[in-house]
Amino acid sequence: MATIQDVAKLAGLSRTTVSRVINQHPYVTEEKKRLVSKAMEELNYVPNSSARRLRRQQTETIAVYVPRITNPFFSHLVEVMEKEAGKKGYQLILCQTRYKKEQERNFLELLKTKQVDGLILTSIENDWGQIEPYLSYGPIVVCNEYTDTAEVPIVFLNQIEGGYIGTKHLIDKGYTKLGFCSGDHKSSRVAYDRKVGFLKAVEEAGLLMKDEWFFRNAYSVQDGLNTFKALEKLDDPPQALFTGSDEVAAGLVKAAKDAGWRVPEDLAIIGFDNQPLAELMELTTVEQPIETIARNAMELMIESIQSKRRPVRKEVILPLRLIERTST
Amino acid sequence: MATIQDVAKLAGLSRTTVSRVINQHPYVTEEKKRLVSKAMEELNYVPNSSARRLRRQQTETIAVYVPRITNPFFSHLVEVMEKEAGKKGYQLILCQTRYKKEQERNFLELLKTKQVDGLILTSIENDWGQIEPYLSYGPIVVCNEYTDTAEVPIVFLNQIEGGYIGTKHLIDKGYTKLGFCSGDHKSSRVAYDRKVGFLKAVEEAGLLMKDEWFFRNAYSVQDGLNTFKALEKLDDPPQALFTGSDEVAAGLVKAAKDAGWRVPEDLAIIGFDNQPLAELMELTTVEQPIETIARNAMELMIESIQSKRRPVRKEVILPLRLIERTST
DNA sequence: CGAATTCATGAAATCGTTTTCATAAATCGA
DNA sequence: TCGATTTATGAAAACGATTTCATGAATTCG
């Protein structure tokens, strides 16, 4: 593999002159430019990435943390982020935390060792206090998650409102016995905020609540199936269920129908995200503008990298929208 | 940010000695090791990734090409590949080709400029003749796709068999008017092979075929919806449809039912992959062992990187399995 | 006991690119 | 005509880590 030294030798010039041609710096005659280009082509030369990174102190690589890429919400986020990154000449390293604090900490080393120029967190496992010190190594953008005090760019949705409008819809439909099904609302701010919104709507309507109408740790289709099994064992099951994911909702709908229940007559179910699955299963759902989230996050990331200024808190709050179908 | 020079200075030793401690080379006294470790901790030192890459001529990064990460088949592949890569200390760069030859060629530059140690192609857009020259820059593993002559490791499934067993199942069920719906079987070897298998089963059963029972360029749920619209306009529509994706099949099932058709009575539909969606929509499907494909591909990739030998053709052929549900 | 080998530590070179500083020629404007 | 500025090109240093080669002390073995 040819180096810039080889190109210089073949062109009969110095490495400095070759570098000037490659990087389009001034003060090189047209004749010399021609010689360099010809030599590069003849030797099939391209600059070595590692040497460039070392000299330029740049990697043109961004790490994106997701819990799991198979979750359609995150794969959709990543799809747009990779595309936006590519437009600006950046590569995207995929980091799956699998909801594990240690795994997230391991990946933070990428920033510390300067293997990436910045990172985007689409979910947060550790306390912010443990992540914040890494800001001294490079910029961090928080996306889809929320932290109260972090001095970083944050793209998020008002999940309290999301919980509220979904629940309000159920109440407006006449349901009075409402269940709440979500991820872990002790560790996840998203799940917590949705629950806050849910409770707000329930209290406004003067409805009663039962502890047994709360279902936790539901993330997948299978979790939806399992949640239904738990629900149908109740003496007094809820009439309607707010869920934190279309996949969970879809699992619930499938299990309910398999058990002979009618949706929404016997159980109304609302999902979140508006994935293709929502249309297939006719789910009422709260839509998140995933493309806008992703694009905003990547733009803020690249802006942070290129500005080389100390990070500043900047919130981008995006709207949620209810899509009504037949599951409610 | 501290460098190895800073650590050496604080420890009162040379950079060579510090490097020996970091890399656990022999001939360093325990006392000197202690001094170095203490200095590293005090300065919060970690080695610089770019410098290491340049000196070691290694990036510990692998690029994985997928058409689109939102396709559940590819997101599942990538999930397992990222996990396996992480176990061996490698990072995974995500490259979405979007089915575009130029985009694929752009990404091939990652290997040429030594930004990655190797790459895994899970779909192939360009002719192999255009990809093959990049083997001189680093190893390439082909996964899920197939090329006849490539001297590289290939992990694939017998898609002819996949097309055959799915179609045979429909024939065994008594259907005589069979349709075929897939991706572009002119540019995609996967789609082409499945069609070969489909035709083999149809010919063995002595069935007649109609050109208008072939539907192309279907990849998504929406494409499934559209395909049904085309199908229902036919004077003599097929009784059963072989599709190349659970998502396409799900779209078809949804559209058929919305149009008042009964599945499988009025139209039997078979999908491919056995994604969670298949269970939700009760699809009969041909299951691909995605975890095994991904794990095999990543192990072959890392083995190729570390062996530093010229690539050799090595085929790993994995089995397909029919999962029967109510859509056929 | 002495030669050979192992142990311990450090200086310089190396990986490959880009920038800084140096030198000389050409050009411009007073 | 001359001083100041611009143009053109190259050598050396820089980025930061690791390896090679060097040197001297300690140990081993015949």
mmCIF file of all heavy atoms in Angstrom, chain D residues 11-24:
data_model
loop_
_atom_site.group_PDB
_atom_site.id
_atom_site.type_symbol
_atom_site.label_atom_id
_atom_site.label_comp_id
_atom_site.label_asym_id
_atom_site.label_seq_id
_atom_site.Cartn_x
_atom_site.Cartn_y
_atom_site.Cartn_z
ATOM 1 P P DA D 11 13.506 18.404 1.242
ATOM 2 O OP1 DA D 11 14.730 17.866 0.620
ATOM 3 O OP2 DA D 11 12.272 17.578 1.322
ATOM 4 O "O5'" DA D 11 13.849 18.900 2.722
ATOM 5 C "C5'" DA D 11 14.767 19.974 2.907
ATOM 6 C "C4'" DA D 11 14.866 20.293 4.390
ATOM 7 O "O4'" DA D 11 13.675 20.975 4.821
ATOM 8 C "C3'" DA D 11 15.004 19.078 5.299
ATOM 9 O "O3'" DA D 11 15.849 19.436 6.375
ATOM 10 C "C2'" DA D 11 13.568 18.790 5.730
ATOM 11 C "C1'" DA D 11 12.964 20.183 5.773
ATOM 12 N N9 DA D 11 11.560 20.248 5.385
ATOM 13 C C8 DA D 11 10.954 19.625 4.334
ATOM 14 N N7 DA D 11 9.671 19.901 4.211
ATOM 15 C C5 DA D 11 9.429 20.770 5.255
ATOM 16 C C6 DA D 11 8.263 21.431 5.679
ATOM 17 N N6 DA D 11 7.077 21.322 5.061
ATOM 18 N N1 DA D 11 8.345 22.221 6.776
ATOM 19 C C2 DA D 11 9.526 22.342 7.391
ATOM 20 N N3 DA D 11 10.703 21.775 7.081
ATOM 21 C C4 DA D 11 10.571 20.997 5.991
ATOM 22 P P DA D 12 16.231 18.364 7.522
ATOM 23 O OP1 DA D 12 17.588 18.703 7.978
ATOM 24 O OP2 DA D 12 15.907 17.001 7.048
ATOM 25 O "O5'" DA D 12 15.195 18.736 8.685
ATOM 26 C "C5'" DA D 12 15.167 20.073 9.179
ATOM 27 C "C4'" DA D 12 14.048 20.216 10.186
ATOM 28 O "O4'" DA D 12 12.775 20.192 9.502
ATOM 29 C "C3'" DA D 12 13.988 19.114 11.242
ATOM 30 O "O3'" DA D 12 13.922 19.774 12.507
ATOM 31 C "C2'" DA D 12 12.728 18.324 10.914
ATOM 32 C "C1'" DA D 12 11.873 19.374 10.229
ATOM 33 N N9 DA D 12 10.907 18.850 9.258
ATOM 34 C C8 DA D 12 11.107 17.920 8.284
ATOM 35 N N7 DA D 12 10.054 17.678 7.539
ATOM 36 C C5 DA D 12 9.088 18.525 8.064
ATOM 37 C C6 DA D 12 7.742 18.753 7.717
ATOM 38 N N6 DA D 12 7.117 18.135 6.711
ATOM 39 N N1 DA D 12 7.058 19.668 8.439
ATOM 40 C C2 DA D 12 7.678 20.298 9.443
ATOM 41 N N3 DA D 12 8.938 20.168 9.862
ATOM 42 C C4 DA D 12 9.597 19.252 9.121
ATOM 43 P P DA D 13 13.890 18.926 13.887
ATOM 44 O OP1 DA D 13 14.767 19.646 14.847
ATOM 45 O OP2 DA D 13 14.095 17.490 13.599
ATOM 46 O "O5'" DA D 13 12.371 19.134 14.337
ATOM 47 C "C5'" DA D 13 11.835 20.444 14.314
ATOM 48 C "C4'" DA D 13 10.348 20.375 14.587
ATOM 49 O "O4'" DA D 13 9.667 19.848 13.421
ATOM 50 C "C3'" DA D 13 9.969 19.476 15.755
ATOM 51 O "O3'" DA D 13 9.085 20.228 16.581
ATOM 52 C "C2'" DA D 13 9.300 18.265 15.102
ATOM 53 C "C1'" DA D 13 8.730 18.874 13.829
ATOM 54 N N9 DA D 13 8.567 17.940 12.712
ATOM 55 C C8 DA D 13 9.490 17.055 12.231
ATOM 56 N N7 DA D 13 9.071 16.365 11.189
ATOM 57 C C5 DA D 13 7.784 16.857 10.970
ATOM 58 C C6 DA D 13 6.808 16.540 10.010
ATOM 59 N N6 DA D 13 6.970 15.637 9.042
ATOM 60 N N1 DA D 13 5.635 17.201 10.074
ATOM 61 C C2 DA D 13 5.456 18.123 11.036
ATOM 62 N N3 DA D 13 6.302 18.504 11.987
ATOM 63 C C4 DA D 13 7.458 17.825 11.900
ATOM 64 P P DA D 14 8.603 19.647 17.999
ATOM 65 O OP1 DA D 14 8.485 20.809 18.897
ATOM 66 O OP2 DA D 14 9.427 18.469 18.359
ATOM 67 O "O5'" DA D 14 7.124 19.113 17.678
ATOM 68 C "C5'" DA D 14 6.202 20.010 17.071
ATOM 69 C "C4'" DA D 14 4.976 19.216 16.670
ATOM 70 O "O4'" DA D 14 5.261 18.464 15.475
ATOM 71 C "C3'" DA D 14 4.539 18.200 17.718
ATOM 72 O "O3'" DA D 14 3.296 18.613 18.273
ATOM 73 C "C2'" DA D 14 4.415 16.874 16.977
ATOM 74 C "C1'" DA D 14 4.504 17.277 15.518
ATOM 75 N N9 DA D 14 5.195 16.298 14.673
ATOM 76 C C8 DA D 14 6.462 15.791 14.842
ATOM 77 N N7 DA D 14 6.813 14.944 13.900
ATOM 78 C C5 DA D 14 5.700 14.894 13.067
ATOM 79 C C6 DA D 14 5.445 14.173 11.887
ATOM 80 N N6 DA D 14 6.310 13.337 11.315
ATOM 81 N N1 DA D 14 4.236 14.349 11.305
ATOM 82 C C2 DA D 14 3.355 15.196 11.866
ATOM 83 N N3 DA D 14 3.493 15.932 12.972
ATOM 84 C C4 DA D 14 4.704 15.727 13.529
ATOM 85 P P DC D 15 2.860 18.023 19.691
ATOM 86 O OP1 DC D 15 2.087 19.077 20.372
ATOM 87 O OP2 DC D 15 4.016 17.376 20.351
ATOM 88 O "O5'" DC D 15 1.850 16.852 19.276
ATOM 89 C "C5'" DC D 15 0.656 17.162 18.580
ATOM 90 C "C4'" DC D 15 0.068 15.877 18.050
ATOM 91 O "O4'" DC D 15 0.780 15.479 16.865
ATOM 92 C "C3'" DC D 15 0.207 14.698 18.985
ATOM 93 O "O3'" DC D 15 -0.881 14.671 19.887
ATOM 94 C "C2'" DC D 15 0.186 13.508 18.038
ATOM 95 C "C1'" DC D 15 0.596 14.093 16.691
ATOM 96 N N1 DC D 15 1.855 13.549 16.115
ATOM 97 C C2 DC D 15 1.872 13.104 14.795
ATOM 98 O O2 DC D 15 0.838 13.182 14.137
ATOM 99 N N3 DC D 15 3.017 12.599 14.286
ATOM 100 C C4 DC D 15 4.115 12.541 15.046
ATOM 101 N N4 DC D 15 5.221 12.037 14.495
ATOM 102 C C5 DC D 15 4.122 12.988 16.400
ATOM 103 C C6 DC D 15 2.981 13.476 16.893
ATOM 104 P P DG D 16 -0.623 14.374 21.470
ATOM 105 O OP1 DG D 16 -1.890 14.619 22.183
ATOM 106 O OP2 DG D 16 0.618 15.054 21.874
ATOM 107 O "O5'" DG D 16 -0.319 12.812 21.490
ATOM 108 C "C5'" DG D 16 -1.355 11.908 21.148
ATOM 109 C "C4'" DG D 16 -0.811 10.496 21.152
ATOM 110 O "O4'" DG D 16 0.173 10.355 20.106
ATOM 111 C "C3'" DG D 16 -0.105 10.092 22.453
ATOM 112 O "O3'" DG D 16 -0.625 8.832 22.800
ATOM 113 C "C2'" DG D 16 1.356 10.007 22.048
ATOM 114 C "C1'" DG D 16 1.243 9.590 20.598
ATOM 115 N N9 DG D 16 2.403 9.864 19.762
ATOM 116 C C8 DG D 16 3.285 10.902 19.866
ATOM 117 N N7 DG D 16 4.220 10.878 18.946
ATOM 118 C C5 DG D 16 3.924 9.762 18.177
ATOM 119 C C6 DG D 16 4.579 9.215 17.040
ATOM 120 O O6 DG D 16 5.572 9.649 16.464
ATOM 121 N N1 DG D 16 3.950 8.068 16.571
ATOM 122 C C2 DG D 16 2.833 7.511 17.142
ATOM 123 N N2 DG D 16 2.369 6.403 16.551
ATOM 124 N N3 DG D 16 2.216 8.013 18.206
ATOM 125 C C4 DG D 16 2.813 9.132 18.670
ATOM 126 P P DA D 17 -0.392 8.157 24.191
ATOM 127 O OP1 DA D 17 -1.710 8.119 24.823
ATOM 128 O OP2 DA D 17 0.762 8.796 24.869
ATOM 129 O "O5'" DA D 17 0.045 6.689 23.813
ATOM 130 C "C5'" DA D 17 -0.807 5.921 22.953
ATOM 131 C "C4'" DA D 17 0.038 5.053 22.050
ATOM 132 O "O4'" DA D 17 0.978 5.886 21.338
ATOM 133 C "C3'" DA D 17 0.900 4.016 22.775
ATOM 134 O "O3'" DA D 17 0.307 2.743 22.586
ATOM 135 C "C2'" DA D 17 2.257 4.091 22.110
ATOM 136 C "C1'" DA D 17 2.076 5.077 20.977
ATOM 137 N N9 DA D 17 3.230 5.929 20.808
ATOM 138 C C8 DA D 17 3.596 7.012 21.567
ATOM 139 N N7 DA D 17 4.690 7.607 21.162
ATOM 140 C C5 DA D 17 5.071 6.853 20.058
ATOM 141 C C6 DA D 17 6.152 6.958 19.159
ATOM 142 N N6 DA D 17 7.094 7.911 19.260
ATOM 143 N N1 DA D 17 6.227 6.060 18.175
ATOM 144 C C2 DA D 17 5.291 5.111 18.077
ATOM 145 N N3 DA D 17 4.224 4.920 18.832
ATOM 146 C C4 DA D 17 4.173 5.829 19.825
ATOM 147 P P DT D 18 0.874 1.456 23.284
ATOM 148 O OP1 DT D 18 -0.226 0.474 23.313
ATOM 149 O OP2 DT D 18 1.551 1.888 24.520
ATOM 150 O "O5'" DT D 18 1.993 0.930 22.290
ATOM 151 C "C5'" DT D 18 1.626 0.536 20.983
ATOM 152 C "C4'" DT D 18 2.852 0.056 20.241
ATOM 153 O "O4'" DT D 18 3.756 1.169 20.057
ATOM 154 C "C3'" DT D 18 3.637 -1.032 20.962
ATOM 155 O "O3'" DT D 18 3.821 -2.086 20.028
ATOM 156 C "C2'" DT D 18 4.951 -0.358 21.366
ATOM 157 C "C1'" DT D 18 5.079 0.748 20.323
ATOM 158 N N1 DT D 18 5.839 1.966 20.746
ATOM 159 C C2 DT D 18 6.853 2.417 19.925
ATOM 160 O O2 DT D 18 7.179 1.861 18.893
ATOM 161 N N3 DT D 18 7.482 3.547 20.364
ATOM 162 C C4 DT D 18 7.185 4.275 21.513
ATOM 163 O O4 DT D 18 7.809 5.284 21.796
ATOM 164 C C5 DT D 18 6.112 3.755 22.320
ATOM 165 C C7 DT D 18 5.713 4.439 23.573
ATOM 166 C C6 DT D 18 5.496 2.635 21.898
ATOM 167 P P DT D 19 4.571 -3.438 20.428
ATOM 168 O OP1 DT D 19 3.767 -4.514 19.821
ATOM 169 O OP2 DT D 19 4.890 -3.439 21.865
ATOM 170 O "O5'" DT D 19 5.932 -3.331 19.614
ATOM 171 C "C5'" DT D 19 5.889 -2.969 18.240
ATOM 172 C "C4'" DT D 19 7.290 -2.729 17.743
ATOM 173 O "O4'" DT D 19 7.788 -1.494 18.305
ATOM 174 C "C3'" DT D 19 8.289 -3.818 18.125
ATOM 175 O "O3'" DT D 19 9.020 -4.125 16.944
ATOM 176 C "C2'" DT D 19 9.151 -3.169 19.205
ATOM 177 C "C1'" DT D 19 9.097 -1.698 18.809
ATOM 178 N N1 DT D 19 9.273 -0.699 19.904
ATOM 179 C C2 DT D 19 10.144 0.356 19.695
ATOM 180 O O2 DT D 19 10.794 0.497 18.675
ATOM 181 N N3 DT D 19 10.217 1.244 20.731
ATOM 182 C C4 DT D 19 9.520 1.206 21.928
ATOM 183 O O4 DT D 19 9.666 2.068 22.776
ATOM 184 C C5 DT D 19 8.637 0.074 22.083
ATOM 185 C C7 DT D 19 7.843 -0.089 23.327
ATOM 186 C C6 DT D 19 8.557 -0.819 21.071
ATOM 187 P P DT D 20 10.064 -5.357 16.900
ATOM 188 O OP1 DT D 20 9.757 -6.115 15.661
ATOM 189 O OP2 DT D 20 10.078 -6.022 18.218
ATOM 190 O "O5'" DT D 20 11.458 -4.614 16.705
ATOM 191 C "C5'" DT D 20 11.573 -3.601 15.720
ATOM 192 C "C4'" DT D 20 12.887 -2.882 15.898
ATOM 193 O "O4'" DT D 20 12.802 -1.977 17.028
ATOM 194 C "C3'" DT D 20 14.078 -3.790 16.153
ATOM 195 O "O3'" DT D 20 15.144 -3.319 15.344
ATOM 196 C "C2'" DT D 20 14.364 -3.605 17.642
ATOM 197 C "C1'" DT D 20 13.934 -2.163 17.852
ATOM 198 N N1 DT D 20 13.509 -1.795 19.232
ATOM 199 C C2 DT D 20 13.941 -0.594 19.756
ATOM 200 O O2 DT D 20 14.686 0.167 19.155
ATOM 201 N N3 DT D 20 13.465 -0.324 21.023
ATOM 202 C C4 DT D 20 12.617 -1.100 21.789
ATOM 203 O O4 DT D 20 12.253 -0.744 22.898
ATOM 204 C C5 DT D 20 12.206 -2.347 21.174
ATOM 205 C C7 DT D 20 11.302 -3.270 21.901
ATOM 206 C C6 DT D 20 12.663 -2.632 19.944
ATOM 207 P P DC D 21 16.467 -4.259 15.129
ATOM 208 O OP1 DC D 21 16.829 -4.129 13.704
ATOM 209 O OP2 DC D 21 16.251 -5.585 15.744
ATOM 210 O "O5'" DC D 21 17.543 -3.474 16.000
ATOM 211 C "C5'" DC D 21 17.739 -2.081 15.777
ATOM 212 C "C4'" DC D 21 18.484 -1.481 16.933
ATOM 213 O "O4'" DC D 21 17.618 -1.384 18.089
ATOM 214 C "C3'" DC D 21 19.715 -2.265 17.381
ATOM 215 O "O3'" DC D 21 20.821 -1.370 17.369
ATOM 216 C "C2'" DC D 21 19.369 -2.753 18.788
ATOM 217 C "C1'" DC D 21 18.371 -1.699 19.237
ATOM 218 N N1 DC D 21 17.431 -2.141 20.283
ATOM 219 C C2 DC D 21 17.186 -1.292 21.377
ATOM 220 O O2 DC D 21 17.775 -0.210 21.446
ATOM 221 N N3 DC D 21 16.307 -1.698 22.339
ATOM 222 C C4 DC D 21 15.686 -2.874 22.236
ATOM 223 N N4 DC D 21 14.844 -3.210 23.200
ATOM 224 C C5 DC D 21 15.902 -3.743 21.131
ATOM 225 C C6 DC D 21 16.770 -3.348 20.184
ATOM 226 P P DA D 22 22.300 -1.842 17.838
ATOM 227 O OP1 DA D 22 23.253 -1.172 16.946
ATOM 228 O OP2 DA D 22 22.315 -3.318 18.004
ATOM 229 O "O5'" DA D 22 22.433 -1.190 19.293
ATOM 230 C "C5'" DA D 22 22.125 0.190 19.466
ATOM 231 C "C4'" DA D 22 22.368 0.564 20.919
ATOM 232 O "O4'" DA D 22 21.232 0.136 21.715
ATOM 233 C "C3'" DA D 22 23.607 -0.077 21.529
ATOM 234 O "O3'" DA D 22 24.360 0.949 22.163
ATOM 235 C "C2'" DA D 22 23.045 -1.086 22.541
ATOM 236 C "C1'" DA D 22 21.694 -0.489 22.889
ATOM 237 N N9 DA D 22 20.676 -1.476 23.270
ATOM 238 C C8 DA D 22 20.287 -2.586 22.559
ATOM 239 N N7 DA D 22 19.330 -3.279 23.139
ATOM 240 C C5 DA D 22 19.073 -2.568 24.305
ATOM 241 C C6 DA D 22 18.166 -2.784 25.360
ATOM 242 N N6 DA D 22 17.306 -3.806 25.403
ATOM 243 N N1 DA D 22 18.161 -1.883 26.385
ATOM 244 C C2 DA D 22 19.020 -0.846 26.335
ATOM 245 N N3 DA D 22 19.911 -0.548 25.390
ATOM 246 C C4 DA D 22 19.879 -1.456 24.399
ATOM 247 P P DT D 23 25.872 0.652 22.634
ATOM 248 O OP1 DT D 23 26.625 1.886 22.347
ATOM 249 O OP2 DT D 23 26.333 -0.658 22.116
ATOM 250 O "O5'" DT D 23 25.696 0.516 24.201
ATOM 251 C "C5'" DT D 23 24.987 1.512 24.919
ATOM 252 C "C4'" DT D 23 24.733 1.020 26.326
ATOM 253 O "O4'" DT D 23 23.587 0.133 26.312
ATOM 254 C "C3'" DT D 23 25.880 0.242 26.925
ATOM 255 O "O3'" DT D 23 26.372 0.959 28.043
ATOM 256 C "C2'" DT D 23 25.282 -1.088 27.329
ATOM 257 C "C1'" DT D 23 23.790 -0.806 27.326
ATOM 258 N N1 DT D 23 22.919 -1.977 27.021
ATOM 259 C C2 DT D 23 21.860 -2.244 27.865
ATOM 260 O O2 DT D 23 21.616 -1.576 28.850
ATOM 261 N N3 DT D 23 21.119 -3.331 27.502
ATOM 262 C C4 DT D 23 21.296 -4.162 26.407
ATOM 263 O O4 DT D 23 20.549 -5.111 26.186
ATOM 264 C C5 DT D 23 22.420 -3.812 25.569
ATOM 265 C C7 DT D 23 22.733 -4.641 24.363
ATOM 266 C C6 DT D 23 23.175 -2.755 25.917
ATOM 267 P P DG D 24 27.778 0.506 28.780
ATOM 268 O OP1 DG D 24 28.488 1.770 29.106
ATOM 269 O OP2 DG D 24 28.445 -0.549 27.979
ATOM 270 O "O5'" DG D 24 27.252 -0.141 30.129
ATOM 271 C "C5'" DG D 24 26.277 0.540 30.898
ATOM 272 C "C4'" DG D 24 25.649 -0.437 31.881
ATOM 273 O "O4'" DG D 24 24.765 -1.319 31.159
ATOM 274 C "C3'" DG D 24 26.640 -1.329 32.623
ATOM 275 O "O3'" DG D 24 26.275 -1.304 33.997
ATOM 276 C "C2'" DG D 24 26.438 -2.700 31.997
ATOM 277 C "C1'" DG D 24 24.957 -2.636 31.660
ATOM 278 N N9 DG D 24 24.508 -3.582 30.662
ATOM 279 C C8 DG D 24 25.074 -3.879 29.457
ATOM 280 N N7 DG D 24 24.409 -4.790 28.778
ATOM 281 C C5 DG D 24 23.329 -5.110 29.593
ATOM 282 C C6 DG D 24 22.276 -6.031 29.403
ATOM 283 O O6 DG D 24 22.056 -6.760 28.433
ATOM 284 N N1 DG D 24 21.400 -6.053 30.486
ATOM 285 C C2 DG D 24 21.538 -5.268 31.614
ATOM 286 N N2 DG D 24 20.602 -5.421 32.555
ATOM 287 N N3 DG D 24 22.526 -4.388 31.807
ATOM 288 C C4 DG D 24 23.384 -4.370 30.761
#
